[in-house]
Amino acid sequence: PSVTRSLLISLQSCQCLAWKPRPVGVWPCPAETQHVVAGYSDGTVRVFSVSRTEMELKMHPHAAALTAVTYSTDGEVILSGGKDGIVAVSSSRTGMTIHVLADHKGSPITVLQCTRKQYHDFGVEGGELWLATSSDRRVSVWASDWLQDKCELLDWLSFPAPAGPEGLDNLPPSLAAFSPWEHGVLVYVGFGMQKEALFYSLRKKQVLRKISLPAFATSLSLSPAAPFMAIGFSDRLLRLQPCPAGEPQDYAGHDDTVHLCRFAPSSRRLLTASLSAVFVWELTGA
């Protein structure tokens, strides 16, 4: 009989997690290269080896609790965002902090995402695009070349919203993601003037189209292999929305707000989570 070991991470103060991307052209991913990065409430970022089930690296680039963390597309760099809006860029090998960006200072970082940039797509140097989204409905988009120590602001988006009596902590989250099917396009959902998903072109510097939603979204994930997205809502609803248009499919079953949606790399499975339930959906025809 075979025995499967599980990586046990102390989750008492863990706020966010991300898997290290597999090396390009390598499949299956060798066990020794599989790592998880975790962000904690004490401002630390910790890297764990899956095969050795132990912590390999611990760094302390933040003075506030972590709210978002991700790897660069090549896995060499870790981007982390804090509750105070500070974004830190650190080496995944040495733990040394390479950059500290304060552009979102004062508002918690809700999303960090990296994507490979097509060469010369936007007339800026760098092989990677990445975005940071904060709770105050701001999205910054950057072009970076970490080996050359270059990080250039490509675009800055601010989405309007009506004045509300509640604080930011009680508002729907601001969420953004690069479109896997349309180069140079990102999707944004969040508290705003209307309940909708916005498709913004980084080339044209404008919103290309909008998709109406039944409520403000609480989670978002874009399928890597097919033009549709998963959206979670506070009323326990999960929606699969074809893009750029089409008839959505709604699914119930969660016991609370659907606060997490994540497609598998194959797009054939979707993981969703609420307060006390985690679902794995099998997507036929994906």
Side-chain angles (χ1 to χ4, degrees):
S2 61
V3 177
T4 301
R5 294 192 301 171
S6 298
L7 174 62
L8 301 178
I9 301 175
S10 173
L11 297 178
Q12 185 173 356
S13 61
C14 180
Q15 307 292 304
C16 44
L17 289 166
W19 282 88
K20 183 177 182 178
R22 65 181 178 86
V24 177
V26 178
W27 186 261
C29 186
E32 63 272 12
T33 67
Q34 295 178 8
H35 291 81
V36 171
V37 62
Y40 286 77
S41 60
D42 62 358
T44 61
V45 176
R46 309 176 197 184
V47 177
F48 296 87
S49 166
V50 175
S51 61
R52 290 196 293 274
T53 66
E54 63 182 21
M55 185 174 69
E56 286 191 348
L57 187 65
K58 180 179 179 180
M59 56 197 95
H60 201 159
H62 293 273
L66 272 290
T67 53
V69 67
T70 193
Y71 276 98
S72 60
T73 54
D74 61 7
E76 293 297 315
V77 165
I78 294 170
L79 291 89
S80 52
K83 192 174 182 179
D84 56 2
I86 299 298
V87 175
V89 182
S90 308
S91 167
S92 65
R93 295 181 181 271
T94 66
M96 181 181 296
T97 300
I98 303 170
H99 289 287
V100 175
L101 298 104
D103 300 73
H104 291 267
K105 187 176 181 180
S107 185
I109 301 298
T110 53
V111 176
L112 290 169
Q113 187 194 7
C114 300
T115 186
R116 287 186 176 86
K117 182 177 75 69
Q118 288 185 322
Y119 192 58
H120 292 322
D121 258 6
F122 302 98
V124 293
E125 296 184 11
E128 180 169 272
L129 288 184
W130 63 275
L131 64 78
T133 308
S134 51
S135 293
D136 56 1
R137 303 172 304 282
R138 294 183 295 168
V139 182
S140 60
V141 182
W142 306 77
S144 297
D145 187 335
W146 306 120
L147 293 178
Q148 298 298 322
D149 196 30
K150 293 180 179 179
C151 186
E152 181 178 347
L153 182 65
L154 182 66
D155 211 337
W156 182 268
L157 314 177
S158 296
F159 294 94
E166 300 177 299
L168 282 176
D169 291 341
N170 297 315
L171 294 178
S174 302
L175 305 171
F178 291 111
S179 170
W181 349 283
E182 292 181 276
H183 289 296
V185 173
L186 63 83
V187 180
Y188 172 85
V189 296
F191 182 65
M193 307 304 292
Q194 303 292 334
K195 301 177 180 70
E196 57 193 4
L198 304 177
F199 291 73
Y200 178 86
S201 170
L202 293 169
R203 290 192 184 91
K204 297 182 178 181
K205 308 291 186 181
Q206 66 183 35
V207 175
L208 299 176
R209 58 186 176 274
K210 305 175 182 180
I211 294 180
S212 296
L213 301 176
F216 291 116
T218 54
S219 54
L220 172 72
S221 184
L222 277 59
S223 168
F228 64 93
M229 56 186 178
I231 308 170
F233 300 95
S234 60
D235 59 357
R236 301 173 290 178
L237 182 71
L238 170 68
R239 168 166 289 191
L240 291 182
Q241 174 69 56
C243 300
E247 193 66 28
Q249 302 175 52
D250 292 335
Y251 300 91
H254 277 285
D255 58 351
D256 207 308
T257 298
V258 184
H259 63 76
L260 178 71
C261 297
R262 286 291 185 275
F263 278 103
S266 67
S267 293
R268 294 191 175 278
R269 289 186 176 87
L270 172 68
L271 183 144
T272 60
S274 57
L275 181 64
S276 59
V278 176
F279 289 178
V280 178
W281 307 78
E282 192 80 25
L283 305 177
T284 58

